[in-house]
Amino acid sequence: MAAMRTHITEHDLRHHGDAEVRDGGEGLTDLAVNVRAGTPPEWLRERIAASLTGLAAYPDGRAARAAVAGRHGLPVERVLLTAGAAEAFVLLARALSFRHPVVVHPQFTEPEAALRDAGRSVRRVLLRPEDGFRLDPAAVPEDADLVVVGNPTNPTSVLHPRGVLAALARPGRTLVVDEAFMDAVPGEREGLAGRTDVPGLVVLRSLTKTWGLAGLRIGYVLAEPSVVAALSRAQPLWPVSTPALVAAEACVSPRALAEAAEAARRLVADRAHLVAGLGEFEEVRVVSAAEGPFVLVRMAGADSVRARLRGLGFLARRGDTFPGLGPEWLRLAVRDRSTTNRFLQALDQALTLTSG
């Protein structure tokens, strides 16, 4: 297995799934955004709403930081709360010293966008569909002193073994693993959060996906204390709002972790149902071994199919904004079986109309 290194070609790195909804997609069934449907739950909304009575006071993140540290068995000095994982990518790009950053693609494009905005020259390692988008550590240049990789990776839904990722660690290298979707994996197997034995490891987590908090912006960084301190110095004062801090503390509580674990178990069955349904179409190829709350599919005329699906009431995420993918790719969020069945019927119509 090999991965291909490439020069930078232009992609719309700032395009995300929410653009499908903003651009006239209100009221349509959303398979373009990876936020879990039906969230936030009522108990979490109530906790957040109750925090509004304290908005006159400046945010105090100590309790939330301690709760996140306890959730991963880490000292608080290894935890930094951020306004979503996206802020963490900006902090990493601006606050750390490195000369040869590498981003493993296809993956969430915000890390590369943040690096480029900070004036960094970025190299890409492109994982190939014929290899199942699996990562070979040998494909990463030895001189890379910053490596960014997702796990499970958006948009491929591939879950890399933790040993493969740990093999990327080197003295003098910062290894950034984006685990924004790891809590959607049963048992969070292959997760590196909480590990302190991997040199240079930085793990990013998001609470916006599983808990439906994209509009609130809350996530966190797990790293060596010196890295946390450097990133913290790059943050503005009070970077995380009081409602977001309350949400962070709530989402790492035992009740929340049990609820997330149950949602991850249901996701396995719902994803299998979607993949089986997609397998009935000769025109569609699904990236095998999907482990995240979304699947990546390949088909001829995907742009036309996406437009047809929109007319039939379903939003799908275009794939051509991800380096390493082209216009024949679409990403589909996993939903409940009823929604999936309706989508599969719409996909049948869209494929028929497109081929006709």
Side-chain angles (χ1 to χ4, degrees):
M1 183 180 70
M4 179 174 60
R5 299 173 207 161
T6 182
H7 64 281
I8 298 298
T9 55
E10 290 303 317
H11 291 79
D12 185 0
L13 300 179
R14 295 294 189 187
H15 180 90
H16 301 298
D18 62 314
E20 303 288 344
V21 181
R22 291 197 315 268
D23 297 338
E26 297 84 356
L28 304 184
T29 300
D30 182 11
L31 306 184
V33 175
N34 289 325
V35 173
R36 183 164 63 104
T39 53
E42 181 63 28
W43 64 266
L44 182 54
R45 289 198 300 269
E46 291 175 354
R47 286 283 297 273
I48 295 170
S51 74
L52 300 181
T53 61
L55 292 186
Y58 285 95
D60 183 349
R62 288 176 296 178
R65 190 182 183 196
V68 170
R71 182 254 197 270
H72 294 289
L74 295 171
V76 293
E77 293 79 15
R78 282 183 166 265
V79 176
L80 180 71
L81 303 176
T82 60
E87 186 204 6
F89 292 125
V90 173
L91 296 175
L92 287 163
R94 295 179 179 179
L96 300 188
S97 298
F98 48 86
R99 299 180 61 187
H100 303 294
V102 168
V103 179
V104 178
H105 285 290
Q107 76 153 319
F108 184 48
T109 54
E110 203 60 32
E112 181 174 318
L115 287 164
R116 292 173 68 177
D117 286 348
R120 309 287 190 167
S121 178
V122 181
R123 283 182 289 178
R124 294 173 178 167
V125 170
L126 298 184
L127 306 185
R128 306 188 305 176
E130 54 264 42
D131 296 328
F133 295 107
R134 299 290 178 181
L135 173 62
D136 179 359
V140 176
E142 195 63 33
D143 66 345
D145 52 5
L146 176 76
V147 178
V148 184
V149 61
N151 203 39
T153 305
N154 171 22
T156 64
S157 207
V158 169
L159 182 67
H160 302 292
R162 69 180 76 186
V164 169
L165 296 181
L168 292 172
R170 299 282 190 281
R173 172 184 288 178
T174 299
L175 172 61
V176 179
V177 182
D178 177 8
E179 292 189 353
F181 296 99
M182 188 60 75
D183 59 355
V185 177
E188 299 190 1
R189 70 184 193 282
E190 312 305 345
L192 290 171
R195 292 277 295 270
T196 60
D197 60 330
V198 180
L201 176 65
V202 177
V203 174
L204 308 184
R205 285 288 183 107
S206 170
L207 297 174
T208 65
K209 316 298 185 184
T210 289
W211 297 109
L213 299 175
L216 195 61
R217 312 308 308 141
I218 180 64
Y220 54 89
V221 177
L222 306 175
E224 297 171 2
S226 61
V227 173
V228 167
L231 299 182
S232 179
R233 287 192 295 270
Q235 283 184 309
L237 290 174
W238 310 290
V240 181
S241 70
T242 295
L245 292 171
V246 168
E249 190 173 357
C251 290
V252 297
S253 67
R255 171 185 180 173
L257 295 179
E259 184 173 320
E262 177 56 30
R265 287 190 290 270
R266 290 196 306 270
L267 171 70
V268 173
D270 290 340
R271 185 179 57 234
H273 183 67
L274 172 61
V275 170
L278 292 169
E280 296 296 317
F281 298 98
E282 293 183 359
E283 306 94 326
V284 179
R285 294 292 179 268
V286 183
V287 174
S288 61
E291 297 281 358
F294 44 86
V295 297
L296 183 65
V297 299
R298 188 177 199 174
M299 66 186 79
D303 277 349
S304 297
V305 172
R306 184 170 65 91
R308 298 283 189 184
L309 285 170
R310 191 181 186 92
L312 294 167
F314 290 87
L315 301 175
R317 170 66 159 92
R318 56 189 282 202
D320 61 341
T321 63
F322 293 100
L325 302 182
E328 71 275 20
W329 295 92
L330 296 176
R331 190 193 68 197
L332 305 169
V334 176
R335 302 298 187 219
D336 62 88
R337 290 190 174 212
S338 175
T339 301
T340 293
N341 289 340
R342 291 190 295 106
F343 165 72
L344 292 171
Q345 291 175 348
L347 178 60
D348 189 21
Q349 296 180 55
L351 289 168
T352 301
L353 291 169
T354 301
S355 61

